[in-house]
Amino acid sequence: MPIQKNAGRQDLLVAYVDIALGDLTAGVAQAAIDLPHGAVLVGGDAVVKTPFNAATTATLKVGDKGDDDRYGSLDLKTAGRTALTLTGYKHNVGEPLLVSFAQTGAAATTGQMRLTVQYYVEGRAAFSQG
């Protein structure tokens, strides 16, 4: 039996959010980006623009209701880009991408980052090819 081709095509969707230290509450999962039903992340990163200056550690978990670090746990103390961990997970309901901030030692007084995700929506087609 031949492979059943899927002629449906769609552009990747991109969402981002800028997050400053003052936006975060340590130990509390917070909604950062809304994902639609059927979303599958295929790319994403966190870019620390201004390092979070907690004395010992400053980390951010990126996940969802089912797994709080599905897409990684990121070090916020160093400026630069960190790619998210891609799992191929399909979000079977519309839900927010959650972030959870943690720090140890003296609390941070500054920090700025951007979280970006790229995803497609399974079953969606904007046009066809073939």
Side-chain angles (χ1 to χ4, degrees):
M1 177 182 279
I3 294 172
Q4 295 293 322
K5 295 179 184 177
N6 177 1
R9 301 289 188 268
Q10 63 179 287
D11 296 321
L12 283 179
L13 301 166
V14 179
Y16 72 89
V17 61
D18 291 319
I19 302 172
L21 173 65
D23 301 329
L24 298 168
T25 302
V28 176
Q30 295 173 261
I33 295 174
D34 290 331
L35 297 173
H37 170 268
V40 178
L41 271 65
V42 295
D45 59 31
V47 176
V48 176
K49 298 175 180 184
T50 303
F52 289 64
N53 65 347
T56 309
T57 64
T59 58
L60 188 78
K61 290 182 185 179
V62 181
D64 53 50
K65 186 177 176 183
D67 184 348
D68 69 348
D69 64 350
R70 183 180 310 280
Y71 300 109
S73 182
L74 314 169
D75 177 11
L76 301 179
K77 286 189 57 72
T78 305
R81 177 188 177 272
T82 302
L84 296 181
T85 302
L86 303 176
T87 65
Y89 179 76
K90 176 184 168 186
H91 292 266
N92 290 315
V93 296
E95 64 181 327
L97 195 65
L98 301 175
V99 297
S100 299
F101 176 65
Q103 60 184 332
T104 59
T109 58
T110 189
Q112 176 74 33
M113 63 162 296
R114 173 173 282 182
L115 177 65
T116 303
V117 294
Q118 298 172 334
Y119 62 94
Y120 68 88
V121 179
E122 193 170 288
R124 176 181 183 257
F127 57 95
S128 65
Q129 179 174 339

